Amino acid sequence: MQTWNDVIRLANHGSPAPHTRVEKTDAEWRAQLTPEQYHVTREHGTERAFTGEYCEAHEAGLYACVCCGTPLYDSRTKFESGTGWPSFTQPVDESAIRYKKDTSYGMTRVEVLCNVCDAHQGHVFPDGPPPGGLRLCINSASVKLVSEQQEA
């Protein structure tokens, strides 16, 4: 499990390399994604608070990257943060996501990206529940839920 100091170190110095890479042209991403998914994942946008499909979701399963299908978050690590976005305490695997320093909009934050296709997911904050204390604040538009029933 990562700590906030681990996240800051990775944001400043890089994350482990992914097992595979998915790269597409801008036109290919636009053809595959809805306008909102494209804006969030490829243009580093965000959806409005409390509007995302998975904000209040409680179904069991894995949340995969909407762009490349890589499993990123497990529903068992999802929690109600009250922020208006789905929140997770950790990724399914430390190499599934990467962290990047984000100084946009006059703030300093840590961005969460899919480590396979570089899709913007959201941001991570050090105000999550124990034991790790992390809150990965993720846009619903950047993920798709693969339920346990679909996996069977």
Side-chain angles (χ1 to χ4, degrees):
M1 178 173 295
Q2 293 176 328
T3 66
W4 182 244
N5 287 335
D6 293 332
V7 169
I8 296 300
R9 180 181 50 77
L10 290 170
N12 289 327
H13 303 294
S15 298
H19 300 293
T20 60
R21 289 285 304 155
V22 172
E23 296 182 16
K24 295 183 179 186
T25 66
D26 187 60
E28 289 171 320
W29 287 126
R30 284 185 187 277
Q32 173 186 329
L33 303 168
T34 68
E36 182 179 35
Q37 289 170 335
Y38 180 85
H39 173 66
V40 168
T41 62
R42 309 321 306 176
E43 298 178 321
H44 304 263
T46 191
E47 60 202 10
R48 288 189 343 260
F50 300 101
T51 64
E53 176 181 2
Y54 301 119
C55 185
E56 302 293 328
H58 300 286
E59 186 177 352
L62 294 175
Y63 289 84
C65 177
V66 73
C67 294
C68 68
T70 300
L72 301 177
Y73 317 101
D74 189 312
S75 63
R76 292 174 290 194
T77 67
K78 189 174 185 285
F79 69 99
E80 296 297 329
S81 65
T83 62
W85 290 274
S87 297
F88 301 88
T89 58
Q90 63 188 42
V92 294
D93 183 90
E94 290 185 18
S95 67
I97 63 172
R98 70 181 177 90
Y99 301 103
K100 180 180 172 187
K101 185 176 180 180
D102 176 6
T103 57
S104 62
Y105 303 107
M107 298 180 275
T108 300
R109 301 176 291 175
V110 176
E111 182 180 15
V112 178
L113 299 148
C114 173
N115 203 22
V116 173
C117 70
D118 298 328
H120 171 76
Q121 297 289 306
H123 291 87
V124 62
F125 302 95
D127 59 2
L134 297 179
R135 173 174 54 94
L136 284 85
C137 189
I138 305 302
N139 289 283
S140 290
S142 69
V143 292
K144 59 185 174 186
L145 177 63
V146 180
S147 71
E148 288 181 352
Q149 294 156 344
Q150 289 172 313
E151 292 175 9

Coordinates of all heavy atoms in Angstrom, one line a residue, residues 12-80:
N12 N 7.1 13.0 -8.6 CA 8.3 13.8 -9.0 C 9.3 13.0 -9.8 O 10.1 13.6 -10.5 CB 8.9 14.3 -7.7 CG 8.1 15.4 -7.0 OD1 7.4 16.2 -7.7 ND2 8.1 15.4 -5.7
H13 N 9.3 11.7 -9.6 CA 10.4 10.9 -10.3 C 9.9 9.8 -11.2 O 10.7 9.1 -11.7 CB 11.3 10.3 -9.2 CG 11.9 11.4 -8.3 ND1 12.8 12.3 -8.7 CD2 11.6 11.6 -7.0 CE1 13.1 13.1 -7.7 NE2 12.4 12.7 -6.6
G14 N 8.6 9.6 -11.3 CA 8.1 8.6 -12.3 C 7.6 7.3 -11.6 O 8.1 7.0 -10.5
S15 N 6.7 6.6 -12.3 CA 6.1 5.4 -11.8 C 6.7 4.2 -12.5 O 7.4 4.4 -13.5 CB 4.6 5.4 -12.0 OG 4.0 6.5 -11.3
P16 N 6.5 3.0 -12.0 CA 7.0 1.8 -12.7 C 6.4 1.8 -14.1 O 5.3 2.2 -14.3 CB 6.5 0.7 -11.8 CG 6.1 1.3 -10.5 CD 5.8 2.7 -10.8
A17 N 7.1 1.2 -15.0 CA 6.7 1.1 -16.4 C 5.5 0.1 -16.5 O 5.6 -0.9 -15.8 CB 7.8 0.6 -17.3
P18 N 4.5 0.3 -17.3 CA 3.4 -0.6 -17.4 C 3.9 -1.8 -18.2 O 4.9 -1.8 -18.9 CB 2.4 0.2 -18.2 CG 3.2 1.1 -19.0 CD 4.3 1.5 -18.1
H19 N 3.1 -2.9 -18.1 CA 3.5 -4.2 -18.8 C 3.2 -4.0 -20.3 O 3.9 -4.6 -21.1 CB 2.6 -5.3 -18.3 CG 2.9 -5.6 -16.8 ND1 4.0 -6.1 -16.3 CD2 2.1 -5.4 -15.7 CE1 4.0 -6.2 -15.0 NE2 2.8 -5.8 -14.6
T20 N 2.2 -3.2 -20.7 CA 1.9 -2.9 -22.1 C 1.6 -1.5 -22.2 O 1.4 -0.7 -21.2 CB 0.6 -3.7 -22.5 OG1 -0.5 -3.3 -21.7 CG2 0.9 -5.2 -22.4
R21 N 1.5 -1.0 -23.5 CA 1.2 0.4 -23.8 C 0.1 0.4 -24.8 O 0.1 -0.5 -25.7 CB 2.4 1.2 -24.3 CG 3.5 1.5 -23.4 CD 3.2 2.6 -22.4 NE 2.8 3.8 -23.1 CZ 2.1 4.8 -22.5 NH1 1.6 4.7 -21.3 NH2 1.8 5.9 -23.2
V22 N -0.8 1.3 -24.7 CA -1.9 1.6 -25.7 C -1.7 3.0 -26.2 O -1.8 3.9 -25.4 CB -3.3 1.3 -25.2 CG1 -4.3 1.7 -26.2 CG2 -3.5 -0.2 -24.8
E23 N -1.5 3.2 -27.4 CA -1.3 4.5 -28.0 C -2.2 4.6 -29.3 O -2.2 3.7 -30.1 CB 0.1 4.8 -28.4 CG 1.0 4.8 -27.1 CD 2.5 5.1 -27.4 OE1 2.8 5.6 -28.5 OE2 3.3 4.9 -26.5
K24 N -3.0 5.7 -29.3 CA -3.8 5.9 -30.5 C -3.7 7.4 -30.9 O -3.3 8.2 -30.1 CB -5.3 5.6 -30.1 CG -5.6 4.2 -29.7 CD -7.0 3.9 -29.5 CE -7.3 2.5 -29.2 NZ -8.7 2.2 -29.0
T25 N -4.1 7.6 -32.1 CA -4.1 9.0 -32.6 C -5.3 9.8 -31.9 O -6.2 9.2 -31.4 CB -4.3 9.1 -34.1 OG1 -5.6 8.6 -34.4 CG2 -3.2 8.3 -34.8
D26 N -5.2 11.1 -32.0 CA -6.3 11.9 -31.4 C -7.7 11.5 -32.1 O -8.7 11.4 -31.5 CB -6.0 13.4 -31.6 CG -7.0 14.3 -30.9 OD1 -7.2 14.2 -29.7 OD2 -7.7 15.1 -31.6
A27 N -7.6 11.3 -33.4 CA -8.8 10.9 -34.1 C -9.4 9.6 -33.7 O -10.6 9.4 -33.6 CB -8.6 10.9 -35.6
E28 N -8.5 8.6 -33.4 CA -9.0 7.3 -32.9 C -9.6 7.5 -31.5 O -10.7 6.8 -31.2 CB -7.8 6.4 -32.9 CG -7.3 5.9 -34.2 CD -6.0 5.1 -34.2 OE1 -5.1 5.5 -33.4 OE2 -5.9 4.2 -35.0
W29 N -9.0 8.3 -30.6 CA -9.6 8.5 -29.3 C -11.0 9.1 -29.4 O -11.9 8.8 -28.8 CB -8.7 9.3 -28.4 CG -7.5 8.6 -27.9 CD1 -6.2 9.1 -28.0 CD2 -7.4 7.4 -27.2 NE1 -5.3 8.2 -27.4 CE2 -6.1 7.2 -26.9 CE3 -8.4 6.5 -26.7 CZ2 -5.6 6.0 -26.2 CZ3 -7.9 5.3 -26.0 CH2 -6.6 5.1 -25.8
R30 N -11.1 10.2 -30.3 CA -12.4 10.9 -30.5 C -13.5 9.9 -31.0 O -14.6 10.0 -30.7 CB -12.2 12.0 -31.4 CG -11.5 13.2 -30.8 CD -11.5 14.4 -31.7 NE -10.7 15.5 -31.2 CZ -11.2 16.4 -30.3 NH1 -12.4 16.4 -29.9 NH2 -10.4 17.4 -29.9
A31 N -13.1 9.0 -31.9 CA -14.0 8.1 -32.5 C -14.5 7.0 -31.4 O -15.7 6.6 -31.5 CB -13.4 7.3 -33.7
Q32 N -13.6 6.7 -30.5 CA -14.0 5.7 -29.5 C -14.7 6.2 -28.3 O -15.6 5.5 -27.7 CB -12.6 5.1 -29.0 CG -12.8 4.1 -27.8 CD -11.5 3.7 -27.2 OE1 -10.5 3.6 -28.0 NE2 -11.4 3.4 -26.0
L33 N -14.5 7.5 -27.9 CA -15.0 8.0 -26.7 C -16.2 9.0 -26.9 O -16.3 9.6 -27.9 CB -13.9 8.7 -25.9 CG -12.7 7.9 -25.6 CD1 -11.5 8.8 -25.1 CD2 -13.0 6.8 -24.6
T34 N -17.0 9.1 -25.9 CA -18.0 10.2 -25.9 C -17.3 11.5 -25.8 O -16.2 11.6 -25.3 CB -19.1 10.0 -24.8 OG1 -18.4 10.3 -23.5 CG2 -19.7 8.6 -24.8
P35 N -18.0 12.6 -26.1 CA -17.3 13.9 -25.9 C -16.9 14.1 -24.5 O -15.8 14.7 -24.2 CB -18.4 14.9 -26.3 CG -19.2 14.2 -27.4 CD -19.3 12.8 -26.9
E36 N -17.7 13.8 -23.5 CA -17.3 13.9 -22.1 C -16.1 13.0 -21.7 O -15.2 13.5 -21.1 CB -18.5 13.7 -21.1 CG -18.0 13.9 -19.7 CD -19.2 13.7 -18.7 OE1 -20.0 12.8 -18.9 OE2 -19.2 14.4 -17.7
Q37 N -16.1 11.8 -22.1 CA -15.0 10.9 -21.9 C -13.7 11.4 -22.5 O -12.7 11.4 -21.9 CB -15.3 9.5 -22.4 CG -16.4 8.7 -21.6 CD -16.8 7.5 -22.4 OE1 -16.7 7.3 -23.6 NE2 -17.3 6.5 -21.6
Y38 N -13.8 11.9 -23.7 CA -12.7 12.5 -24.4 C -12.1 13.7 -23.6 O -10.9 13.8 -23.3 CB -13.0 12.9 -25.8 CG -11.8 13.5 -26.5 CD1 -10.9 12.6 -27.1 CD2 -11.6 14.8 -26.5 CE1 -9.7 13.2 -27.8 CE2 -10.4 15.4 -27.1 CZ -9.5 14.5 -27.8 OH -8.4 15.1 -28.3
H39 N -13.0 14.6 -23.2 CA -12.6 15.8 -22.5 C -11.9 15.4 -21.2 O -10.8 16.0 -20.9 CB -13.8 16.7 -22.2 CG -13.5 17.9 -21.3 ND1 -12.7 18.9 -21.7 CD2 -13.9 18.2 -20.1 CE1 -12.5 19.8 -20.7 NE2 -13.3 19.3 -19.7
V40 N -12.5 14.5 -20.4 CA -11.9 14.1 -19.1 C -10.6 13.4 -19.3 O -9.5 13.8 -18.8 CB -12.9 13.3 -18.3 CG1 -12.2 12.6 -17.1 CG2 -14.1 14.1 -17.9
T41 N -10.6 12.4 -20.2 CA -9.4 11.5 -20.3 C -8.2 12.0 -21.1 O -7.1 11.9 -20.8 CB -9.8 10.1 -20.8 OG1 -10.3 10.2 -22.1 CG2 -10.7 9.4 -19.8
R42 N -8.6 12.7 -22.2 CA -7.5 13.1 -23.1 C -7.1 14.6 -23.0 O -6.0 15.0 -23.3 CB -7.9 12.9 -24.6 CG -8.4 11.5 -24.9 CD -7.8 10.3 -24.3 NE -6.3 10.2 -24.5 CZ -5.6 9.2 -23.9 NH1 -6.2 8.3 -23.2 NH2 -4.3 9.1 -24.0
E43 N -8.1 15.4 -22.4 CA -7.8 16.9 -22.2 C -7.7 17.2 -20.8 O -7.7 18.4 -20.4 CB -9.0 17.7 -22.9 CG -9.1 17.5 -24.4 CD -10.2 18.3 -25.0 OE1 -11.3 18.4 -24.3 OE2 -10.1 18.8 -26.1
H44 N -7.6 16.2 -19.9 CA -7.4 16.4 -18.5 C -8.5 17.2 -17.8 O -8.2 18.1 -17.0 CB -6.0 17.0 -18.2 CG -4.9 16.1 -18.8 ND1 -4.2 15.2 -18.0 CD2 -4.4 16.1 -20.0 CE1 -3.3 14.6 -18.8 NE2 -3.5 15.1 -20.0
G45 N -9.7 17.0 -18.3 CA -10.9 17.7 -17.7 C -11.4 17.0 -16.5 O -10.8 16.1 -15.9
T46 N -12.6 17.5 -16.1 CA -13.3 16.9 -14.9 C -14.8 17.0 -15.2 O -15.2 17.9 -15.9 CB -12.9 17.6 -13.6 OG1 -13.4 16.8 -12.5 CG2 -13.4 19.0 -13.5
E47 N -15.5 16.1 -14.6 CA -17.0 16.2 -14.6 C -17.4 17.0 -13.4 O -16.7 17.1 -12.4 CB -17.6 14.8 -14.6 CG -17.2 14.0 -13.4 CD -17.3 12.5 -13.6 OE1 -17.5 12.0 -14.7 OE2 -17.3 11.8 -12.6
R48 N -18.6 17.6 -13.5 CA -19.2 18.3 -12.4 C -19.4 17.4 -11.2 O -19.8 16.2 -11.4 CB -20.5 19.0 -12.8 CG -20.3 20.1 -13.7 CD -21.6 21.0 -14.0 NE -22.8 20.3 -13.6 CZ -23.7 19.7 -14.4 NH1 -23.4 19.7 -15.7 NH2 -24.8 19.2 -14.0
A49 N -19.2 17.9 -10.0 CA -19.4 17.1 -8.8 C -20.8 16.6 -8.7 O -21.7 17.2 -9.1 CB -19.1 17.9 -7.5
F50 N -20.9 15.3 -8.2 CA -22.2 14.7 -8.0 C -23.0 14.4 -9.2 O -24.2 14.1 -9.2 CB -23.1 15.5 -7.0 CG -22.4 15.6 -5.6 CD1 -21.8 16.8 -5.3 CD2 -22.4 14.6 -4.7 CE1 -21.2 17.0 -4.1 CE2 -21.7 14.8 -3.5 CZ -21.1 16.0 -3.2
T51 N -22.3 14.4 -10.4 CA -23.1 14.1 -11.6 C -22.6 12.8 -12.3 O -23.3 12.3 -13.2 CB -22.9 15.2 -12.7 OG1 -21.5 15.3 -13.0 CG2 -23.4 16.6 -12.2
G52 N -21.5 12.2 -11.9 CA -20.9 11.1 -12.5 C -21.7 9.8 -12.2 O -22.3 9.6 -11.1
E53 N -21.7 8.9 -13.2 CA -22.4 7.6 -13.1 C -22.1 6.8 -11.9 O -22.9 6.1 -11.3 CB -22.2 6.9 -14.4 CG -22.8 5.5 -14.4 CD -22.5 4.7 -15.7 OE1 -21.7 5.3 -16.6 OE2 -23.0 3.6 -15.9
Y54 N -20.8 6.8 -11.5 CA -20.4 6.0 -10.4 C -20.2 6.6 -9.0 O -19.7 6.0 -8.1 CB -19.0 5.3 -10.8 CG -19.2 4.5 -12.1 CD1 -18.4 4.8 -13.2 CD2 -20.1 3.4 -12.2 CE1 -18.5 4.1 -14.4 CE2 -20.2 2.7 -13.3 CZ -19.4 3.0 -14.4 OH -19.5 2.3 -15.6
C55 N -20.6 7.9 -8.9 CA -20.5 8.6 -7.7 C -21.2 7.9 -6.5 O -20.6 7.7 -5.4 CB -21.0 10.0 -7.8 SG -20.8 11.0 -6.3
E56 N -22.4 7.4 -6.8 CA -23.1 6.7 -5.7 C -23.2 5.2 -6.0 O -24.0 4.5 -5.3 CB -24.6 7.3 -5.7 CG -24.6 8.8 -5.4 CD -24.1 9.1 -4.0 OE1 -24.3 8.3 -3.1 OE2 -23.5 10.2 -3.8
A57 N -22.4 4.6 -6.9 CA -22.5 3.2 -7.2 C -22.0 2.3 -6.1 O -21.0 2.7 -5.5 CB -21.7 2.9 -8.5
H58 N -22.6 1.2 -5.9 CA -22.1 0.3 -4.8 C -22.0 -1.2 -5.3 O -21.8 -2.1 -4.6 CB -23.1 0.3 -3.6 CG -23.2 1.7 -3.0 ND1 -22.2 2.2 -2.3 CD2 -24.2 2.6 -3.1 CE1 -22.6 3.5 -1.9 NE2 -23.7 3.7 -2.4
E59 N -22.1 -1.3 -6.7 CA -22.0 -2.7 -7.2 C -20.6 -3.2 -7.1 O -19.6 -2.4 -7.3 CB -22.5 -2.6 -8.7 CG -22.5 -3.9 -9.4 CD -23.0 -3.8 -10.8 OE1 -23.5 -2.7 -11.3 OE2 -23.0 -4.9 -11.5
A60 N -20.5 -4.5 -6.9 CA -19.2 -5.1 -6.8 C -18.5 -5.3 -8.1 O -19.2 -5.6 -9.1 CB -19.3 -6.5 -6.1
G61 N -17.2 -5.1 -8.2 CA -16.5 -5.3 -9.5 C -15.3 -4.5 -9.6 O -14.8 -3.9 -8.6
L62 N -14.7 -4.4 -10.7 CA -13.5 -3.7 -11.0 C -13.8 -2.5 -11.9 O -14.7 -2.6 -12.8 CB -12.4 -4.5 -11.7 CG -11.9 -5.7 -10.9 CD1 -10.9 -6.5 -11.8 CD2 -11.1 -5.2 -9.7
Y63 N -13.2 -1.4 -11.6 CA -13.3 -0.2 -12.5 C -12.1 -0.2 -13.4 O -11.0 -0.1 -12.9 CB -13.4 1.1 -11.6 CG -14.7 1.2 -10.8 CD1 -14.8 0.6 -9.6 CD2 -15.7 2.0 -11.3 CE1 -16.0 0.7 -8.9 CE2 -16.9 2.1 -10.6 CZ -17.0 1.5 -9.4 OH -18.2 1.6 -8.7
A64 N -12.4 -0.3 -14.7 CA -11.4 -0.3 -15.7 C -11.3 1.0 -16.4 O -12.3 1.8 -16.5 CB -11.7 -1.4 -16.7
C65 N -10.1 1.3 -17.0 CA -10.0 2.6 -17.8 C -10.9 2.5 -19.0 O -11.0 1.5 -19.7 CB -8.5 2.6 -18.3 SG -8.2 4.1 -19.3
V66 N -11.6 3.6 -19.2 CA -12.6 3.7 -20.3 C -11.9 3.7 -21.6 O -12.5 3.3 -22.6 CB -13.6 4.9 -20.1 CG1 -12.8 6.2 -20.4 CG2 -14.8 4.8 -20.9
C67 N -10.6 4.1 -21.6 CA -9.9 4.2 -22.9 C -9.3 2.8 -23.3 O -9.4 2.4 -24.5 CB -8.8 5.2 -22.8 SG -9.4 6.9 -22.6
C68 N -8.6 2.1 -22.4 CA -7.9 0.9 -22.8 C -8.4 -0.3 -22.1 O -7.9 -1.4 -22.5 CB -6.4 1.1 -22.5 SG -6.0 1.2 -20.8
G69 N -9.3 -0.2 -21.1 CA -9.8 -1.4 -20.5 C -9.0 -2.0 -19.4 O -9.3 -3.0 -18.8
T70 N -7.9 -1.3 -19.0 CA -7.0 -1.8 -17.9 C -7.7 -1.7 -16.6 O -8.2 -0.6 -16.3 CB -5.7 -1.0 -17.9 OG1 -5.0 -1.2 -19.2 CG2 -4.8 -1.5 -16.8
P71 N -7.8 -2.8 -15.8 CA -8.4 -2.7 -14.5 C -7.5 -1.7 -13.6 O -6.3 -1.9 -13.5 CB -8.4 -4.1 -13.9 CG -8.2 -5.0 -15.1 CD -7.4 -4.2 -16.1
L72 N -8.2 -0.7 -13.0 CA -7.5 0.2 -12.2 C -7.9 0.3 -10.7 O -7.0 0.5 -9.9 CB -7.7 1.6 -12.8 CG -7.3 1.9 -14.2 CD1 -7.6 3.3 -14.7 CD2 -5.8 1.6 -14.4
Y73 N -9.2 0.1 -10.4 CA -9.7 0.2 -9.0 C -10.6 -0.9 -8.7 O -11.4 -1.4 -9.6 CB -10.4 1.5 -8.8 CG -9.6 2.7 -9.5 CD1 -10.0 3.2 -10.7 CD2 -8.5 3.2 -8.9 CE1 -9.4 4.3 -11.3 CE2 -7.8 4.3 -9.5 CZ -8.2 4.8 -10.7 OH -7.5 5.8 -11.3
D74 N -10.6 -1.4 -7.5 CA -11.5 -2.4 -7.0 C -12.6 -1.8 -6.2 O -12.4 -0.9 -5.4 CB -10.7 -3.4 -6.2 CG -11.5 -4.7 -5.8 OD1 -12.7 -4.6 -5.4 OD2 -10.9 -5.8 -5.9
S75 N -13.9 -2.2 -6.4 CA -15.0 -1.6 -5.7 C -14.8 -1.8 -4.2 O -15.4 -1.0 -3.4 CB -16.3 -2.3 -6.1 OG -16.3 -3.6 -5.8
R76 N -14.1 -2.8 -3.7 CA -13.9 -3.0 -2.3 C -13.0 -1.9 -1.7 O -13.0 -1.8 -0.4 CB -13.2 -4.4 -2.0 CG -14.2 -5.5 -2.4 CD -13.5 -6.8 -2.2 NE -12.6 -7.0 -3.4 CZ -12.0 -8.1 -3.7 NH1 -12.2 -9.2 -3.1 NH2 -11.1 -8.1 -4.7
T77 N -12.3 -1.1 -2.5 CA -11.5 0.0 -2.0 C -12.2 1.4 -2.2 O -11.7 2.4 -1.9 CB -10.1 0.1 -2.6 OG1 -10.3 0.4 -4.0 CG2 -9.4 -1.3 -2.4
K78 N -13.5 1.3 -2.7 CA -14.3 2.5 -2.9 C -14.9 2.9 -1.6 O -15.4 2.1 -0.8 CB -15.3 2.2 -4.0 CG -16.1 3.5 -4.5 CD -17.0 3.1 -5.6 CE -17.7 4.3 -6.2 NZ -18.8 4.8 -5.4
F79 N -15.0 4.2 -1.4 CA -15.6 4.7 -0.1 C -16.3 6.0 -0.4 O -16.1 6.7 -1.4 CB -14.6 4.9 1.0 CG -13.6 6.0 0.8 CD1 -13.7 7.2 1.4 CD2 -12.4 5.8 0.0 CE1 -12.8 8.3 1.2 CE2 -11.5 6.8 -0.2 CZ -11.7 8.0 0.4
E80 N -17.3 6.4 0.5 CA -18.0 7.6 0.3 C -17.2 8.8 0.9 O -17.0 8.9 2.1 CB -19.4 7.5 1.1 CG -20.3 6.4 0.5 CD -20.7 6.7 -0.9 OE1 -20.8 7.9 -1.3 OE2 -20.9 5.8 -1.7

